Amino acid sequence: MILREEVLNYLLEIQDGETIPPTNLENIIIDFETQSKNLETRDLTQAAITDLGDVPDKLNNFTLLTPDQILELARRFGWTINALTQWDIHNTNFKIWIECILASVAIWDFNGDFWRAVYPRLAEPAKALQGCAVVIHDRVPKTFVPSQAPIWEQEHERGLWEADRTENWKQLFEMAQAFPQLPFLDGGARQALLALRA
């Protein structure tokens, strides 16, 4: 079985500069810019699934794809890579862009394989990580722990806040995994933490 990271590395190698954009994700950006819509993570997730829902199956069955299918996959992957490398915090709508990019990354990734494949090839990794930090800061835990709650719950909440405040991404990632159901990390937040931890 070919590892996801190896497949992504191969797609990066054969990428010919042409890209196939995820139209639903791009439409969210256009709608946000023209209609001042609120950003909902569920809308991003749904758009990414609509655009890229077939990608995980194709990556898992990579050896069965034809050369044309592989090239098409590389071009679809190319949009995510280009968007990630061209993302700029100085753009007016930088938050919507990084959110859409991370929604796309969430489809391509499996347990951090995307970041292991892509991070060494980023021309400006600090720029990409800056965008990921923006996403995490936007997800500051909105929690309430009653005073009569067990002491470990109170300490966990304080730890989450402190990890976010000090940008200790490894600790924040590990603490967020402590409760697989609460708090729930959406795909974009999870990808941002995986990138920052990498």
Side-chain angles (χ1 to χ4, degrees):
M1 182 177 159
I2 301 177
L3 297 175
R4 175 80 59 97
E5 184 179 350
E6 293 174 5
V7 172
L8 296 179
N9 272 316
Y10 181 72
L11 293 177
L12 285 168
E13 288 172 17
I14 67 163
Q15 218 285 322
D16 60 1
E18 289 189 42
T19 63
I20 299 174
T23 54
N24 289 285
L25 281 174
E26 286 197 338
N27 285 338
I28 284 182
I29 295 167
I30 292 166
D31 289 348
F32 184 84
E33 291 174 345
T34 59
Q35 301 171 24
S36 300
K37 288 191 171 184
N38 290 329
L39 179 61
E40 299 285 343
T41 54
R42 68 175 176 269
D43 294 338
L44 287 170
T45 302
Q46 187 55 54
I49 290 170
T50 302
D51 289 329
L52 304 166
D54 62 322
V55 164
D57 188 52
K58 287 184 175 177
L59 294 175
N60 290 334
N61 297 294
F62 190 72
T63 56
L64 304 176
L65 299 180
T66 67
D68 286 344
Q69 290 172 318
I70 291 172
L71 183 58
E72 180 193 1
L73 198 61
R75 289 174 175 172
R76 292 169 74 191
F77 189 49
W79 181 91
T80 302
I81 302 305
N82 286 354
L84 187 61
T85 56
Q86 295 169 10
W87 178 85
D88 188 355
I89 199 167
H90 301 296
N91 288 347
T92 308
N93 296 306
F94 67 90
K95 285 186 181 182
I96 183 70
W97 269 102
I98 194 67
E99 290 282 3
C100 285
I101 293 165
L102 291 175
S104 174
V105 169
I107 300 289
W108 291 98
D109 184 56
F110 179 76
N111 289 334
D113 287 333
F114 174 91
W115 297 106
R116 284 189 293 278
V118 170
Y119 188 80
R121 299 171 188 247
L122 291 178
E124 294 183 58
K127 189 167 71 169
L129 296 181
Q130 187 180 30
C132 292
V134 166
V135 170
I136 295 304
H137 288 312
D138 276 358
R139 305 292 202 284
V140 172
K142 296 173 180 65
T143 58
F144 170 73
V145 178
S147 58
Q148 68 272 21
I151 189 71
W152 69 269
E153 287 188 13
Q154 296 175 34
E155 289 175 352
H156 188 81
E157 181 194 34
R158 284 193 294 274
L160 282 171
W161 281 94
E162 184 63 16
D164 179 70
R165 187 186 68 73
T166 60
E167 297 188 351
N168 185 339
W169 308 119
K170 182 178 180 188
Q171 181 183 2
L172 185 59
F173 181 84
E174 289 168 359
M175 293 186 79
Q177 302 308 308
F179 296 107
Q181 296 173 351
L182 289 173
F184 174 73
L185 284 178
D186 61 272
R190 179 171 170 75
Q191 289 307 316
L193 275 175
L194 281 169
L196 291 164
R197 193 180 92 169

